[in-house]
Amino acid sequence: LFMVKNIKAVKDAYINEGSGVIDFLPTLDKVKPDVFVVNAEGGSDEKRRICKERGIEYVELQRTPHAGLKARSSSDLKKALSNVSDNSAQEVGIPTRLDLAGTWIDQPYVSMYHPGWAITISLEPTFEVRDRCGLSTSTRKMIQKIWPVKLPDMNPEILAKLVFCFENDPERSDGIVSGAQDAIGICMPGLVRHYYDNRFWPDKFETCLDEKVLSWVESHVCMIPMDPRRPGCSVVEGKDITEPKVKNLAKAADDCWNAILAMDFAAFASAFQASFDAQVALFPAMIQGCVQSYIDQYSVLPEVHAWKMPGAGGGGYLVLVVDDVKSFAQQHPEAIELTIRRK
C-alpha cells in the first residue's frame, strides 16, 4: 500500500475493508469512482450490476500477452503457490529435467560396456513436480540449498558441473553417485545430449535450441501422473547389464536424437520406445509396482505411439509420445503438457 500510494499518478489507494469475493463494496462507496476496471477473468455479471446501480462505468480489459508468451494472472500464481509445501522442491524458478533417451548410460557401471549418449530436456516447472517420480527432485532440493529461488545467470555447463559436484559430496556416506544427467538436464536449457564413456562426467555435449525443434517436441510429448516410487523400492535389483544390451541403449539414443532434429515423428516414436525397452532389459525392476497397469491403459490408445518412465522408474510419471499433445490433453485432462526452457 505504501509503494502504490507513492506512485506519482496515484492520488490515493486503499486496502479492501470487506471479506469474500465482493470485498470492495465499502471502499467502492467511499471512493465513488467514475470508472471501475477489472481484467477479464476478474469480471462478473454481479460486478457489472453493482456498477450499473451506482452509475459507474464498468470496463473489462483482456489480457493480451506478447507473442510467444503465455497469459499470466495472479489467480494462476496463487493456485501454483498453493501446491507448494515448505519442505519440497516446488518453486517458480528452478527447472526440472526429463530424460528422453539413454537413461542409465551416465553410470560408469553401464557405459563401461559401451559408450553412448543420454538425451535430456530442461523443463519449466509449470506443473507440480512430485517427489520420487523420476524428475530429479533430489537434485533440485540440493540446488535450493545454494540458490533457493532461481538458477544463477552463468555458463550452463559450468553450472551443471557445480551442482553435480555439490550433490556428490566425497563425504557422502551412502556410496551412491547421482548421475550427471540430473544436474545437466536441470541446468542446461533446451534439448541436450551428453556422451558418457566409463566416466561420471560426459566427454562432450551437443545442444539444440532451435525453436522449431523444441516446439515440435512439445507438440508430441506429454506426461501422465502415476503413483510415486514406493519407499524402499530398488530398481537396480535384478539388473542384467551386458554389452549387447548397452549397445542397444546407445543406438536407440543416437537414433532418437537424429529423429528429433529431423522432426521425423515415426522415427522418433520408434527410437523413443526402443530406448525404454533397452532400459527395461537392463533394469527389469523399473516397471514394478503400478507401472505396468498404466502402460497397459495408455499404450492401447491409437494416438499413443511410444512410452517410457523418466528417471529410474518404479512409478512417478508415464511419458507418452502422441500425435498431438493439445488434442490428447483435451480427451485426457490428466495429461501434463510440457514447456521446454529456452534460456
Side-chain angles (χ1 to χ4, degrees), residues 208-219:
C208 175
L209 293 171
D210 186 301
E211 180 58 33
K212 288 184 179 179
V213 173
L214 300 186
S215 296
W216 184 85
V217 173
E218 290 172 336
S219 70

Side-chain angles (χ1 to χ4, degrees), residues 72-85 90-92 125-128 333:
R72 304 282 180 133
S73 73
S74 57
S75 300
D76 289 341
L77 290 174
K78 290 173 185 175
K79 183 178 179 181
L81 290 172
S82 70
N83 293 326
V84 179
S85 59
Q90 309 305 319
E91 70 323 281
V92 294
T126 56
F127 56 94
E128 181 186 2

Side-chain angles (χ1 to χ4, degrees), residues 70 80 83-84 89-91 94-98 123-130 133 135 140 223 225 317 335-339:
K70 291 185 176 181
N83 293 326
V84 179
Q90 309 305 319
E91 70 323 281
I94 297 177
T96 186
R97 72 96 183 93
L98 176 61
L123 298 178
E124 299 283 1
T126 56
F127 56 94
E128 181 186 2
V129 185
R130 302 175 301 159
C133 287
L135 295 180
R140 294 170 81 234
M223 297 194 309
Y317 297 93
I336 299 171
E337 298 182 49
L338 306 178
T339 301

Side-chain angles (χ1 to χ4, degrees), residues 170-332:
E171 302 299 326
R172 188 169 170 171
S173 60
D174 57 13
I176 298 173
V177 177
S178 297
Q181 68 160 313
D182 292 344
I184 292 167
I186 290 174
C187 297
M188 298 185 67
L191 173 72
V192 183
R193 70 170 178 170
H194 13 118
Y195 189 81
Y196 297 86
D197 188 1
N198 199 22
R199 297 175 62 234
F200 284 107
W201 191 253
D203 291 343
K204 53 188 175 181
F205 295 87
E206 292 184 17
T207 299
C208 175
L209 293 171
D210 186 301
E211 180 58 33
K212 288 184 179 179
V213 173
L214 300 186
S215 296
W216 184 85
V217 173
E218 290 172 336
S219 70
H220 291 300
V221 179
C222 64
M223 297 194 309
I224 301 293
M226 301 190 295
D227 297 333
R229 185 169 60 248
R230 299 190 312 272
C233 166
S234 174
V235 296
V236 298
E237 290 184 4
K239 63 182 182 293
D240 184 19
I241 305 174
T242 64
E243 182 179 349
K245 291 182 178 182
V246 178
K247 283 184 176 180
N248 288 339
L249 181 70
K251 181 181 184 304
D254 208 34
D255 292 343
C256 190
W257 178 264
N258 293 330
I260 291 173
L261 295 189
M263 293 184 284
D264 184 333
F265 179 75
F268 170 54
S270 177
F272 189 88
Q273 190 63 56
S275 180
F276 181 56
D277 292 343
Q279 291 171 228
V280 175
L282 292 163
F283 298 89
M286 286 185 67
I287 57 173
Q288 63 181 289
C290 67
V291 174
Q292 190 60 55
S293 63
Y294 278 90
I295 292 176
D296 293 342
Q297 177 183 348
Y298 286 94
S299 62
V300 296
L301 299 177
E303 60 269 45
V304 175
H305 298 267
W307 52 89
K308 76 178 294 288
M309 286 173 295
Y317 297 93
L318 186 64
V319 184
L320 303 178
V321 174
V322 299
D323 289 321
D324 180 76
V325 165
K326 291 196 177 297
S327 297
F328 185 81
Q330 289 178 351
Q331 298 297 320
H332 302 275

Side-chain angles (χ1 to χ4, degrees), residues 83-91 93-97 125 128-151 162-164 166-168 172 178 182-183 186-187 228-229:
N83 293 326
V84 179
S85 59
D86 292 338
N87 61 351
S88 76
Q90 309 305 319
E91 70 323 281
I94 297 177
T96 186
R97 72 96 183 93
E128 181 186 2
V129 185
R130 302 175 301 159
D131 285 344
R132 300 183 62 79
C133 287
L135 295 180
S136 301
T137 50
S138 59
T139 302
R140 294 170 81 234
K141 288 178 180 178
M142 284 290 180
I143 291 172
Q144 282 196 306
K145 292 180 179 180
I146 320 172
W147 304 291
V149 178
K150 64 178 182 178
L151 294 175
L162 286 173
V163 170
F164 174 74
F166 179 73
E167 183 173 13
N168 294 294
R172 188 169 170 171
S178 297
D182 292 344
I186 290 174
C187 297
R229 185 169 60 248

Side-chain angles (χ1 to χ4, degrees), residues 25-44:
L25 287 180
T27 307
L28 189 71
D29 291 333
K30 179 178 179 180
V31 175
K32 295 182 173 62
D34 296 310
V35 183
F36 183 91
V37 182
V38 293
N39 53 49
E41 61 266 31
S44 68

